[in-house]
Amino acid sequence: MHEIRKKAIHTLKQMMEYPGRFSILVLGDSGVGKTHWISQNIKSITGNESKDNSIFIDSGLTEDSTEYWEGVFNKANNKFLIIEEVEKLSPKSQELIFNIISTHNGKFGLKEKNLEIRIIFTSCLPIEKLRQDRRILNSKFYDRVSQFVVTFPNFNETQRTIYSDFEETWKKFFNEQHEYHNRYPQSDEFKDWLDLVAGNMYGNFRDLDKIVINWNFHQISAEQLEESKIFELVKKDFEAILKYPAQRIYDDNSFVFNEDIKYDEMLKNFRRSLRNWSLNVNFNNMRKAAEMLGISHRSMERW
């Protein structure tokens, strides 16, 4: 596992164990493992494999009523509450949640402050977008949900460890007792291919899941096939139908100005917005994106 991902997992666990009832905001592209590592850390912290220790809410499926959100928070008492894709919450829901998580003596609630909950929000948008674009989150709500922030890297940032990520994904599907636990592809040709396509894995671990499932399908369907033949089938399937589609993070390419921040931070935000745009245009190939902008690959990484 890449050191950046290890650090994100460790930092998230520290934040989840931190005393008090501060909100946590977990960021990262679709498929980078946000929900997985939140769940794993909850199991580690509580020592409980049961799903009764947490409630996951998809913001795209919520309601705007007071009764709905009171019900959600009451059910989450003494548990972890994870509200996914916070950017999809309506202004009314943001207002209701803000009132509920405005604590008194470290406890939550709307009418009575008597709930003990560790609340975690997730988003696929970068922190600059959430902080600056008030069409997404209002200022006071953003301030409340981002008391702790951790970002999980995508595969473009951790490309050199893509094969070890593949091994971990394989063993997630096939545990030590499974007959296929150690029967994963190990050829240099396969490893080179993973390195090559990692920069275009917009689904991150979702793409690896598909490769693992498809490889094992061909492996089971034709036990006599050589690994090289299976590899050709998997490569063809991935390029034709299985690859997760590229997604635009921004609803437009404009840069959002904010009167509350200084020149240095605004310049930093602009560079990151330009970096994200150029990577999108160049299918996540950082070297091509840097060449297009006329800067060095190293400068691109620093942005």
Side-chain angles (χ1 to χ4, degrees), residues 21 59 137 141 198 207 218 236 250 261 303:
R21 290 296 175 264
S59 294
L137 303 180
F141 184 71
D207 279 336
H218 290 300
K236 181 179 178 181
Y250 301 103
I261 62 176
W303 285 11

Side-chain angles (χ1 to χ4, degrees), residues 3 23 33 37 43 55 107 138 153 181 201 216 238 254 259 267-268 271-272:
E3 289 301 316
S23 300
W37 288 110
K43 291 176 184 177
I55 295 177
K107 295 187 178 181
N138 70 57
H181 177 69
M201 283 189 180
N216 187 248
F238 182 76
S254 61
E259 67 274 14
L267 183 60
K268 178 183 176 182
R271 283 175 171 166
R272 185 166 298 182

Side-chain angles (χ1 to χ4, degrees), residues 90-100 138 140-141:
S90 70
K92 184 175 180 181
S93 285
Q94 291 180 38
E95 188 69 31
L96 286 167
I97 295 172
F98 176 83
N99 290 333
I100 293 173
N138 70 57
K140 67 178 184 178
F141 184 71

